[in-house]
mmCIF file of all heavy atoms in Angstrom:
data_model
loop_
_atom_site.group_PDB
_atom_site.id
_atom_site.type_symbol
_atom_site.label_atom_id
_atom_site.label_comp_id
_atom_site.label_asym_id
_atom_site.label_seq_id
_atom_site.Cartn_x
_atom_site.Cartn_y
_atom_site.Cartn_z
ATOM 1 N N THR A 1 -27.148 2.201 26.389
ATOM 2 C CA THR A 1 -27.553 1.160 27.316
ATOM 3 C C THR A 1 -26.770 -0.091 27.182
ATOM 4 O O THR A 1 -26.603 -0.851 28.152
ATOM 5 C CB THR A 1 -29.031 0.828 27.116
ATOM 6 O OG1 THR A 1 -29.272 0.401 25.763
ATOM 7 C CG2 THR A 1 -29.886 2.003 27.384
ATOM 8 N N LYS A 2 -26.249 -0.429 25.999
ATOM 9 C CA LYS A 2 -25.475 -1.661 25.800
ATOM 10 C C LYS A 2 -23.998 -1.335 25.928
ATOM 11 O O LYS A 2 -23.473 -0.316 25.557
ATOM 12 C CB LYS A 2 -25.706 -2.206 24.432
ATOM 13 C CG LYS A 2 -27.124 -2.678 24.200
ATOM 14 C CD LYS A 2 -27.333 -3.315 22.857
ATOM 15 C CE LYS A 2 -28.770 -3.684 22.614
ATOM 16 N NZ LYS A 2 -28.972 -4.216 21.284
ATOM 17 N N ARG A 3 -23.259 -2.343 26.497
ATOM 18 C CA ARG A 3 -21.813 -2.219 26.731
ATOM 19 C C ARG A 3 -21.065 -3.219 25.822
ATOM 20 O O ARG A 3 -21.536 -4.317 25.594
ATOM 21 C CB ARG A 3 -21.403 -2.423 28.147
ATOM 22 C CG ARG A 3 -22.044 -1.439 29.027
ATOM 23 C CD ARG A 3 -21.640 -1.585 30.465
ATOM 24 N NE ARG A 3 -21.554 -2.985 30.873
ATOM 25 C CZ ARG A 3 -20.839 -3.391 31.870
ATOM 26 N NH1 ARG A 3 -20.135 -2.527 32.691
ATOM 27 N NH2 ARG A 3 -20.711 -4.683 32.266
ATOM 28 N N ARG A 4 -19.912 -2.814 25.300
ATOM 29 C CA ARG A 4 -19.033 -3.709 24.582
ATOM 30 C C ARG A 4 -17.740 -3.890 25.382
ATOM 31 O O ARG A 4 -17.102 -2.943 25.798
ATOM 32 C CB ARG A 4 -18.703 -3.183 23.249
ATOM 33 C CG ARG A 4 -17.655 -3.938 22.447
ATOM 34 C CD ARG A 4 -17.381 -3.470 21.092
ATOM 35 N NE ARG A 4 -18.498 -3.840 20.264
ATOM 36 C CZ ARG A 4 -19.049 -3.123 19.311
ATOM 37 N NH1 ARG A 4 -18.561 -1.919 19.062
ATOM 38 N NH2 ARG A 4 -20.053 -3.480 18.572
ATOM 39 N N ALA A 5 -17.371 -5.168 25.571
ATOM 40 C CA ALA A 5 -16.159 -5.474 26.255
ATOM 41 C C ALA A 5 -14.937 -5.240 25.316
ATOM 42 O O ALA A 5 -14.977 -5.707 24.168
ATOM 43 C CB ALA A 5 -16.168 -6.845 26.785
ATOM 44 N N LEU A 6 -13.905 -4.486 25.785
ATOM 45 C CA LEU A 6 -12.694 -4.414 25.027
ATOM 46 C C LEU A 6 -11.571 -5.012 25.842
ATOM 47 O O LEU A 6 -11.586 -4.935 27.064
ATOM 48 C CB LEU A 6 -12.357 -2.902 24.840
ATOM 49 C CG LEU A 6 -13.256 -2.076 23.884
ATOM 50 C CD1 LEU A 6 -12.722 -0.633 23.791
ATOM 51 C CD2 LEU A 6 -13.327 -2.697 22.556
ATOM 52 N N GLY A 7 -10.620 -5.641 25.212
ATOM 53 C CA GLY A 7 -9.453 -6.185 25.863
ATOM 54 C C GLY A 7 -8.255 -5.282 25.499
ATOM 55 O O GLY A 7 -7.962 -5.168 24.341
ATOM 56 N N ILE A 8 -7.680 -4.736 26.490
ATOM 57 C CA ILE A 8 -6.503 -3.823 26.261
ATOM 58 C C ILE A 8 -5.221 -4.593 26.598
ATOM 59 O O ILE A 8 -4.879 -4.805 27.721
ATOM 60 C CB ILE A 8 -6.615 -2.618 27.202
ATOM 61 C CG1 ILE A 8 -7.998 -1.976 27.110
ATOM 62 C CG2 ILE A 8 -5.486 -1.583 26.825
ATOM 63 C CD1 ILE A 8 -8.413 -1.414 25.768
ATOM 64 N N PRO A 9 -4.463 -4.963 25.570
ATOM 65 C CA PRO A 9 -3.186 -5.557 25.755
ATOM 66 C C PRO A 9 -2.142 -4.595 26.230
ATOM 67 O O PRO A 9 -2.263 -3.356 26.001
ATOM 68 C CB PRO A 9 -2.790 -6.188 24.461
ATOM 69 C CG PRO A 9 -3.825 -5.753 23.431
ATOM 70 C CD PRO A 9 -4.751 -4.843 24.148
ATOM 71 N N THR A 10 -1.042 -5.094 26.856
ATOM 72 C CA THR A 10 0.096 -4.187 27.204
ATOM 73 C C THR A 10 0.770 -3.667 25.942
ATOM 74 O O THR A 10 0.614 -4.174 24.801
ATOM 75 C CB THR A 10 1.114 -5.002 28.033
ATOM 76 O OG1 THR A 10 1.630 -6.031 27.255
ATOM 77 C CG2 THR A 10 0.459 -5.534 29.330
ATOM 78 N N VAL A 11 1.564 -2.664 26.164
ATOM 79 C CA VAL A 11 2.296 -2.078 24.990
ATOM 80 C C VAL A 11 3.252 -3.215 24.336
ATOM 81 O O VAL A 11 3.240 -3.318 23.124
ATOM 82 C CB VAL A 11 3.208 -0.927 25.500
ATOM 83 C CG1 VAL A 11 4.178 -0.491 24.439
ATOM 84 C CG2 VAL A 11 2.359 0.243 25.988
ATOM 85 N N LYS A 12 3.900 -3.966 25.190
ATOM 86 C CA LYS A 12 4.760 -4.993 24.673
ATOM 87 C C LYS A 12 3.951 -5.994 23.823
ATOM 88 O O LYS A 12 4.363 -6.358 22.644
ATOM 89 C CB LYS A 12 5.448 -5.816 25.811
ATOM 90 C CG LYS A 12 6.311 -6.923 25.385
ATOM 91 C CD LYS A 12 6.802 -7.821 26.476
ATOM 92 C CE LYS A 12 7.877 -7.181 27.297
ATOM 93 N NZ LYS A 12 8.481 -8.129 28.255
ATOM 94 N N ASP A 13 2.777 -6.397 24.296
ATOM 95 C CA ASP A 13 1.966 -7.355 23.514
ATOM 96 C C ASP A 13 1.426 -6.678 22.231
ATOM 97 O O ASP A 13 1.430 -7.305 21.146
ATOM 98 C CB ASP A 13 0.821 -7.843 24.312
ATOM 99 C CG ASP A 13 1.228 -8.720 25.428
ATOM 100 O OD1 ASP A 13 2.339 -9.260 25.396
ATOM 101 O OD2 ASP A 13 0.443 -8.887 26.429
ATOM 102 N N ARG A 14 1.070 -5.412 22.255
ATOM 103 C CA ARG A 14 0.667 -4.668 20.986
ATOM 104 C C ARG A 14 1.810 -4.614 20.020
ATOM 105 O O ARG A 14 1.542 -4.683 18.792
ATOM 106 C CB ARG A 14 0.210 -3.306 21.362
ATOM 107 C CG ARG A 14 -1.254 -3.356 21.935
ATOM 108 C CD ARG A 14 -1.855 -2.026 22.099
ATOM 109 N NE ARG A 14 -1.409 -1.525 23.357
ATOM 110 C CZ ARG A 14 -1.294 -0.178 23.692
ATOM 111 N NH1 ARG A 14 -1.647 0.669 22.840
ATOM 112 N NH2 ARG A 14 -0.940 0.150 24.855
ATOM 113 N N VAL A 15 2.997 -4.390 20.427
ATOM 114 C CA VAL A 15 4.211 -4.334 19.481
ATOM 115 C C VAL A 15 4.313 -5.714 18.802
ATOM 116 O O VAL A 15 4.484 -5.754 17.615
ATOM 117 C CB VAL A 15 5.424 -3.865 20.254
ATOM 118 C CG1 VAL A 15 6.691 -4.133 19.387
ATOM 119 C CG2 VAL A 15 5.320 -2.444 20.680
ATOM 120 N N VAL A 16 4.337 -6.762 19.590
ATOM 121 C CA VAL A 16 4.478 -8.115 19.005
ATOM 122 C C VAL A 16 3.301 -8.461 18.105
ATOM 123 O O VAL A 16 3.471 -9.027 17.031
ATOM 124 C CB VAL A 16 4.702 -9.168 20.150
ATOM 125 C CG1 VAL A 16 4.862 -10.601 19.520
ATOM 126 C CG2 VAL A 16 5.927 -8.823 20.932
ATOM 127 N N GLN A 17 2.106 -8.098 18.578
ATOM 128 C CA GLN A 17 0.937 -8.406 17.726
ATOM 129 C C GLN A 17 0.978 -7.602 16.422
ATOM 130 O O GLN A 17 0.626 -8.062 15.375
ATOM 131 C CB GLN A 17 -0.316 -8.031 18.456
ATOM 132 C CG GLN A 17 -0.726 -9.036 19.617
ATOM 133 C CD GLN A 17 -1.949 -8.638 20.325
ATOM 134 O OE1 GLN A 17 -2.692 -7.706 19.944
ATOM 135 N NE2 GLN A 17 -2.166 -9.274 21.446
ATOM 136 N N SER A 18 1.485 -6.348 16.464
ATOM 137 C CA SER A 18 1.579 -5.533 15.255
ATOM 138 C C SER A 18 2.611 -6.206 14.243
ATOM 139 O O SER A 18 2.390 -6.228 13.014
ATOM 140 C CB SER A 18 2.100 -4.161 15.587
ATOM 141 O OG SER A 18 1.113 -3.503 16.326
ATOM 142 N N ALA A 19 3.658 -6.677 14.798
ATOM 143 C CA ALA A 19 4.647 -7.342 13.927
ATOM 144 C C ALA A 19 4.054 -8.605 13.286
ATOM 145 O O ALA A 19 4.194 -8.847 12.055
ATOM 146 C CB ALA A 19 5.914 -7.769 14.738
ATOM 147 N N ALA A 20 3.295 -9.381 14.076
ATOM 148 C CA ALA A 20 2.667 -10.569 13.560
ATOM 149 C C ALA A 20 1.588 -10.167 12.485
ATOM 150 O O ALA A 20 1.446 -10.882 11.466
ATOM 151 C CB ALA A 20 2.008 -11.395 14.714
ATOM 152 N N ALA A 21 0.875 -9.175 12.730
ATOM 153 C CA ALA A 21 -0.118 -8.748 11.815
ATOM 154 C C ALA A 21 0.412 -8.295 10.480
ATOM 155 O O ALA A 21 -0.089 -8.573 9.420
ATOM 156 C CB ALA A 21 -0.982 -7.535 12.392
ATOM 157 N N ILE A 22 1.616 -7.612 10.518
ATOM 158 C CA ILE A 22 2.307 -7.238 9.239
ATOM 159 C C ILE A 22 2.658 -8.467 8.455
ATOM 160 O O ILE A 22 2.499 -8.475 7.200
ATOM 161 C CB ILE A 22 3.582 -6.384 9.553
ATOM 162 C CG1 ILE A 22 3.132 -5.041 10.060
ATOM 163 C CG2 ILE A 22 4.448 -6.268 8.381
ATOM 164 C CD1 ILE A 22 4.273 -4.179 10.769
ATOM 165 N N VAL A 23 3.044 -9.531 9.155
ATOM 166 C CA VAL A 23 3.444 -10.678 8.397
ATOM 167 C C VAL A 23 2.198 -11.540 7.905
ATOM 168 O O VAL A 23 2.218 -12.041 6.787
ATOM 169 C CB VAL A 23 4.245 -11.683 9.310
ATOM 170 C CG1 VAL A 23 4.503 -13.000 8.782
ATOM 171 C CG2 VAL A 23 5.567 -11.013 9.698
ATOM 172 N N LEU A 24 1.130 -11.556 8.767
ATOM 173 C CA LEU A 24 -0.043 -12.366 8.421
ATOM 174 C C LEU A 24 -1.012 -11.640 7.415
ATOM 175 O O LEU A 24 -1.798 -12.341 6.707
ATOM 176 C CB LEU A 24 -0.785 -12.672 9.705
ATOM 177 C CG LEU A 24 -0.074 -13.567 10.618
ATOM 178 C CD1 LEU A 24 -0.753 -13.728 12.014
ATOM 179 C CD2 LEU A 24 0.201 -14.996 10.025
ATOM 180 N N GLN A 25 -1.007 -10.331 7.397
ATOM 181 C CA GLN A 25 -1.910 -9.568 6.495
ATOM 182 C C GLN A 25 -2.028 -10.045 5.123
ATOM 183 O O GLN A 25 -3.142 -10.238 4.603
ATOM 184 C CB GLN A 25 -1.638 -8.060 6.635
ATOM 185 C CG GLN A 25 -2.659 -7.214 5.938
ATOM 186 C CD GLN A 25 -3.893 -7.077 6.731
ATOM 187 O OE1 GLN A 25 -3.920 -6.888 7.930
ATOM 188 N NE2 GLN A 25 -5.080 -7.138 6.097
ATOM 189 N N PRO A 26 -0.898 -10.235 4.395
ATOM 190 C CA PRO A 26 -0.988 -10.671 3.026
ATOM 191 C C PRO A 26 -1.676 -12.076 2.939
ATOM 192 O O PRO A 26 -2.343 -12.352 1.837
ATOM 193 C CB PRO A 26 0.434 -10.765 2.526
ATOM 194 C CG PRO A 26 1.192 -9.871 3.478
ATOM 195 C CD PRO A 26 0.479 -9.964 4.814
ATOM 196 N N ILE A 27 -1.528 -12.931 3.889
ATOM 197 C CA ILE A 27 -2.151 -14.220 3.847
ATOM 198 C C ILE A 27 -3.674 -14.106 3.851
ATOM 199 O O ILE A 27 -4.392 -14.616 3.109
ATOM 200 C CB ILE A 27 -1.627 -15.146 4.984
ATOM 201 C CG1 ILE A 27 -0.094 -15.342 4.834
ATOM 202 C CG2 ILE A 27 -2.401 -16.416 5.094
ATOM 203 C CD1 ILE A 27 0.586 -15.985 6.013
ATOM 204 N N TRP A 28 -4.100 -13.246 4.856
ATOM 205 C CA TRP A 28 -5.628 -13.126 4.957
ATOM 206 C C TRP A 28 -6.170 -12.346 3.765
ATOM 207 O O TRP A 28 -7.272 -12.643 3.313
ATOM 208 C CB TRP A 28 -5.927 -12.337 6.262
ATOM 209 C CG TRP A 28 -5.319 -12.861 7.505
ATOM 210 C CD1 TRP A 28 -4.777 -12.111 8.488
ATOM 211 C CD2 TRP A 28 -5.154 -14.246 7.897
ATOM 212 N NE1 TRP A 28 -4.294 -12.947 9.532
ATOM 213 C CE2 TRP A 28 -4.574 -14.275 9.163
ATOM 214 C CE3 TRP A 28 -5.483 -15.462 7.339
ATOM 215 C CZ2 TRP A 28 -4.219 -15.420 9.890
ATOM 216 C CZ3 TRP A 28 -5.231 -16.621 8.041
ATOM 217 C CH2 TRP A 28 -4.573 -16.565 9.258
ATOM 218 N N GLU A 29 -5.410 -11.401 3.285
ATOM 219 C CA GLU A 29 -5.905 -10.596 2.147
ATOM 220 C C GLU A 29 -6.250 -11.441 0.954
ATOM 221 O O GLU A 29 -7.225 -11.187 0.243
ATOM 222 C CB GLU A 29 -4.859 -9.511 1.736
ATOM 223 C CG GLU A 29 -4.982 -8.274 2.535
ATOM 224 C CD GLU A 29 -6.239 -7.565 2.406
ATOM 225 O OE1 GLU A 29 -6.737 -7.294 1.320
ATOM 226 O OE2 GLU A 29 -6.789 -7.167 3.508
ATOM 227 N N ALA A 30 -5.513 -12.502 0.728
ATOM 228 C CA ALA A 30 -5.757 -13.389 -0.402
ATOM 229 C C ALA A 30 -7.094 -14.092 -0.253
ATOM 230 O O ALA A 30 -7.661 -14.532 -1.277
ATOM 231 C CB ALA A 30 -4.623 -14.382 -0.473
ATOM 232 N N ASP A 31 -7.581 -14.266 0.997
ATOM 233 C CA ASP A 31 -8.875 -14.961 1.191
ATOM 234 C C ASP A 31 -10.131 -14.078 1.329
ATOM 235 O O ASP A 31 -11.197 -14.523 1.190
ATOM 236 C CB ASP A 31 -8.726 -15.777 2.537
ATOM 237 C CG ASP A 31 -7.701 -16.879 2.405
ATOM 238 O OD1 ASP A 31 -7.414 -17.291 1.266
ATOM 239 O OD2 ASP A 31 -7.198 -17.365 3.433
ATOM 240 N N PHE A 32 -9.907 -12.812 1.579
ATOM 241 C CA PHE A 32 -11.036 -11.892 1.844
ATOM 242 C C PHE A 32 -11.871 -11.660 0.564
ATOM 243 O O PHE A 32 -11.298 -11.588 -0.537
ATOM 244 C CB PHE A 32 -10.532 -10.622 2.457
ATOM 245 C CG PHE A 32 -10.119 -10.640 3.833
ATOM 246 C CD1 PHE A 32 -9.129 -9.799 4.328
ATOM 247 C CD2 PHE A 32 -10.708 -11.526 4.777
ATOM 248 C CE1 PHE A 32 -8.763 -9.848 5.673
ATOM 249 C CE2 PHE A 32 -10.301 -11.545 6.082
ATOM 250 C CZ PHE A 32 -9.292 -10.743 6.520
ATOM 251 N N HIS A 33 -13.124 -11.546 0.751
ATOM 252 C CA HIS A 33 -14.066 -11.185 -0.281
ATOM 253 C C HIS A 33 -13.769 -9.732 -0.738
ATOM 254 O O HIS A 33 -13.451 -8.913 0.013
ATOM 255 C CB HIS A 33 -15.506 -11.335 0.145
ATOM 256 C CG HIS A 33 -16.524 -11.265 -0.959
ATOM 257 N ND1 HIS A 33 -16.898 -10.060 -1.521
ATOM 258 C CD2 HIS A 33 -17.186 -12.250 -1.591
ATOM 259 C CE1 HIS A 33 -17.743 -10.228 -2.439
ATOM 260 N NE2 HIS A 33 -17.969 -11.548 -2.514
ATOM 261 N N ASP A 34 -13.896 -9.527 -2.048
ATOM 262 C CA ASP A 34 -13.642 -8.199 -2.542
ATOM 263 C C ASP A 34 -14.463 -7.112 -2.024
ATOM 264 O O ASP A 34 -14.099 -5.989 -1.992
ATOM 265 C CB ASP A 34 -13.757 -8.183 -4.089
ATOM 266 C CG ASP A 34 -13.178 -6.964 -4.753
ATOM 267 O OD1 ASP A 34 -12.112 -6.552 -4.306
ATOM 268 O OD2 ASP A 34 -13.841 -6.379 -5.675
ATOM 269 N N HIS A 35 -15.644 -7.469 -1.564
ATOM 270 C CA HIS A 35 -16.627 -6.441 -0.981
ATOM 271 C C HIS A 35 -16.529 -6.434 0.539
ATOM 272 O O HIS A 35 -17.504 -5.884 1.173
ATOM 273 C CB HIS A 35 -18.029 -6.703 -1.460
ATOM 274 C CG HIS A 35 -18.184 -6.610 -2.946
ATOM 275 N ND1 HIS A 35 -17.983 -5.410 -3.605
ATOM 276 C CD2 HIS A 35 -18.529 -7.461 -3.864
ATOM 277 C CE1 HIS A 35 -18.175 -5.586 -4.926
ATOM 278 N NE2 HIS A 35 -18.470 -6.892 -5.057
ATOM 279 N N SER A 36 -15.500 -6.933 1.139
ATOM 280 C CA SER A 36 -15.240 -6.794 2.594
ATOM 281 C C SER A 36 -14.346 -5.638 2.839
ATOM 282 O O SER A 36 -13.296 -5.466 2.197
ATOM 283 C CB SER A 36 -14.594 -8.161 3.045
ATOM 284 O OG SER A 36 -14.271 -8.054 4.418
ATOM 285 N N TYR A 37 -14.777 -4.774 3.784
ATOM 286 C CA TYR A 37 -14.085 -3.529 3.930
ATOM 287 C C TYR A 37 -13.416 -3.400 5.349
ATOM 288 O O TYR A 37 -12.512 -2.566 5.581
ATOM 289 C CB TYR A 37 -14.934 -2.290 3.672
ATOM 290 C CG TYR A 37 -15.261 -2.176 2.216
ATOM 291 C CD1 TYR A 37 -16.345 -2.862 1.662
ATOM 292 C CD2 TYR A 37 -14.510 -1.429 1.384
ATOM 293 C CE1 TYR A 37 -16.673 -2.733 0.320
ATOM 294 C CE2 TYR A 37 -14.766 -1.353 0.046
ATOM 295 C CZ TYR A 37 -15.847 -2.024 -0.467
ATOM 296 O OH TYR A 37 -16.131 -1.958 -1.845
ATOM 297 N N ALA A 38 -13.998 -4.053 6.349
ATOM 298 C CA ALA A 38 -13.570 -3.862 7.680
ATOM 299 C C ALA A 38 -12.140 -4.341 7.988
ATOM 300 O O ALA A 38 -11.749 -5.448 7.597
ATOM 301 C CB ALA A 38 -14.587 -4.541 8.647
ATOM 302 N N TYR A 39 -11.413 -3.476 8.663
ATOM 303 C CA TYR A 39 -10.023 -3.870 9.160
ATOM 304 C C TYR A 39 -9.130 -4.295 8.063
ATOM 305 O O TYR A 39 -8.335 -5.176 8.287
ATOM 306 C CB TYR A 39 -10.104 -4.820 10.222
ATOM 307 C CG TYR A 39 -11.079 -4.484 11.316
ATOM 308 C CD1 TYR A 39 -12.315 -5.117 11.398
ATOM 309 C CD2 TYR A 39 -10.796 -3.518 12.240
ATOM 310 C CE1 TYR A 39 -13.199 -4.797 12.404
ATOM 311 C CE2 TYR A 39 -11.677 -3.114 13.208
ATOM 312 C CZ TYR A 39 -12.932 -3.756 13.293
ATOM 313 O OH TYR A 39 -13.765 -3.410 14.287
ATOM 314 N N ARG A 40 -9.201 -3.674 6.874
ATOM 315 C CA ARG A 40 -8.349 -4.033 5.738
ATOM 316 C C ARG A 40 -7.544 -2.806 5.366
ATOM 317 O O ARG A 40 -8.083 -1.727 5.329
ATOM 318 C CB ARG A 40 -9.153 -4.593 4.611
ATOM 319 C CG ARG A 40 -9.800 -5.941 5.034
ATOM 320 C CD ARG A 40 -10.571 -6.451 3.912
ATOM 321 N NE ARG A 40 -9.764 -6.895 2.793
ATOM 322 C CZ ARG A 40 -10.251 -7.226 1.603
ATOM 323 N NH1 ARG A 40 -11.534 -7.272 1.403
ATOM 324 N NH2 ARG A 40 -9.401 -7.556 0.641
ATOM 325 N N PRO A 41 -6.324 -3.049 4.879
ATOM 326 C CA PRO A 41 -5.588 -1.889 4.326
ATOM 327 C C PRO A 41 -6.142 -1.286 3.106
ATOM 328 O O PRO A 41 -6.696 -2.082 2.253
ATOM 329 C CB PRO A 41 -4.128 -2.545 4.077
ATOM 330 C CG PRO A 41 -4.365 -3.983 3.973
ATOM 331 C CD PRO A 41 -5.596 -4.371 4.806
#
């Protein structure tokens, strides 16, 4: 009964976002709580 909105970026935007995520991931990892599991390598 409930709907969740998803935003679908273009392929080009996903490629650039993926590159940015690779660069930014180590920065965020240093801040995350040890018991946080979602969306982490």
Side-chain angles (χ1 to χ4, degrees):
T1 56
K2 295 181 182 178
R3 300 182 321 157
R4 170 177 287 141
L6 293 182
I8 311 297
T10 62
V11 172
K12 180 189 282 190
D13 292 340
R14 282 186 276 156
V15 168
V16 179
Q17 288 179 12
S18 294
I22 289 168
V23 171
L24 295 171
Q25 186 75 42
I27 296 169
W28 308 139
E29 276 299 311
D31 294 338
F32 286 147
H33 191 282
D34 192 45
H35 297 296
S36 173
Y37 291 88
Y39 309 106
R40 294 181 63 191

